[in-house]
Amino acid sequence: MYNVIGMIPGRSHPDEAVIFSAHYDHVNMDLYGGGVGVFNGANDDASGTTAVIELAKYFSMRRNNERTIIFCLFAGEELGLLGSQAFINYIKPETIKAVINIEMIGMTNATGKNAFMVTGSYLSDLTKILRRNLKGEKVKVMDQNSDPKLLFQRSDNYPFAAEGIPAHTIMCSDDNEPCYHKPCDDVKRIDMDNMTRIIQAIAKSCLSLISGKDTASRLKK
């Protein structure tokens, strides 16, 4: 398995980076060990993979990023965050100013439409920055005030967070979604219109991070 990485060098701060990431792998059996049917993983996490690709396309057309932008599609997330854990060995943590990991934005059971949740939002001020950039917009940013399902620790933001980087995951659904890790997680169920609005909102919410105007607070190791 391979990570797929792209980069747009920053104009004035090339040694500072913002990462957009998602995992492109999925499970091939259900939570109870069965392997009946094809597990397409449309929401988990083709939706996040789509977002990263679209963000790469968008920012490559703008070409006005002052900080470097790194786009990461990680392998092996379902096997224990293997791709992101491997990638962390190739970076200097102090140069990464934020990690925006994107998971399961194709369904909306955790947030409803026109909103996204930031896991571990209480650990840094990243959510405040995203919310400020979206002031007056239709899409709203939701805090995660508690984390009984350990969502913050279970996605590819976590290896970065363990190094003190303000690294969080944006989500619209969680493992209470009826087709989580099941063959029915298929593209026909994805709310394409809402997902498009979420991707557009992610782009706008991160503009001040990419320009270098804002820097999120570091996490305590």
Side-chain angles (χ1 to χ4, degrees):
M1 296 183 293
Y2 295 90
N3 292 332
V4 181
I5 311 295
M7 182 179 70
I8 306 174
R11 300 195 305 176
S12 60
H13 301 289
D15 295 330
E16 299 179 358
V18 174
I19 293 177
F20 291 101
S21 65
H23 70 91
Y24 70 85
D25 64 308
H26 190 54
V27 298
N28 65 351
M29 59 181 63
D30 65 33
L31 298 176
Y32 306 101
V36 179
V38 176
F39 289 66
N40 288 313
N43 186 42
D44 179 22
D45 189 27
S47 64
T49 300
T50 299
V52 172
I53 293 171
E54 289 300 310
L55 290 166
K57 180 179 178 181
Y58 172 69
F59 286 113
S60 68
M61 290 189 296
R62 287 178 62 100
R63 282 287 180 177
N64 64 349
N65 51 294
E66 301 300 329
R67 283 174 167 155
T68 294
I69 312 176
I70 303 174
F71 304 94
C72 299
L73 299 180
F74 291 125
E77 189 265 1
E78 300 288 4
L79 299 175
L81 315 182
L82 300 185
S84 52
Q85 188 63 62
F87 181 77
I88 199 78
N89 296 316
Y90 293 91
I91 64 169
K92 296 179 180 179
E94 65 272 13
T95 68
I96 308 301
K97 301 306 176 182
V99 175
I100 310 297
N101 189 56
I102 306 171
E103 276 262 24
M104 299 195 292
I105 61 170
M107 303 299 292
T108 62
N109 73 288
T111 62
K113 293 180 182 289
N114 299 315
F116 63 78
M117 174 180 65
V118 180
T119 65
S121 56
Y122 46 88
L123 296 172
S124 81
D125 61 356
L126 180 68
T127 305
K128 294 179 181 178
I129 294 171
L130 303 183
R131 185 176 288 123
R132 183 167 62 244
N133 289 332
L134 287 179
K135 185 177 181 179
E137 297 292 326
K138 187 173 185 179
V139 173
K140 305 303 179 185
V141 183
M142 297 176 61
D143 290 307
Q144 186 195 34
N145 296 317
S146 62
D147 192 8
K149 296 181 179 295
L150 303 180
L151 298 175
F152 181 77
Q153 290 95 326
R154 287 168 49 200
S155 196
D156 284 315
N157 63 287
Y158 192 65
F160 298 94
E163 296 295 328
I165 299 167
H168 302 262
T169 295
I170 285 175
M171 307 181 75
C172 298
S173 59
D174 58 19
D175 47 14
N176 285 333
E177 205 287 310
C179 287
Y180 175 73
H181 283 188
K182 294 179 181 178
C184 58
D185 184 5
D186 191 75
V187 67
K188 63 179 178 289
R189 301 179 67 249
I190 298 298
D191 187 337
M192 294 293 187
D193 290 339
N194 188 73
M195 192 173 88
T196 298
R197 291 191 295 272
I198 296 300
I199 296 171
Q200 292 169 337
I202 292 171
K204 185 167 185 178
S205 69
C206 294
L207 288 178
S208 66
L209 294 167
I210 291 168
S211 71
K213 178 181 176 181
D214 285 321
T215 301
S217 56
R218 308 298 282 185
L219 304 184
K220 293 182 179 180
K221 294 185 183 181

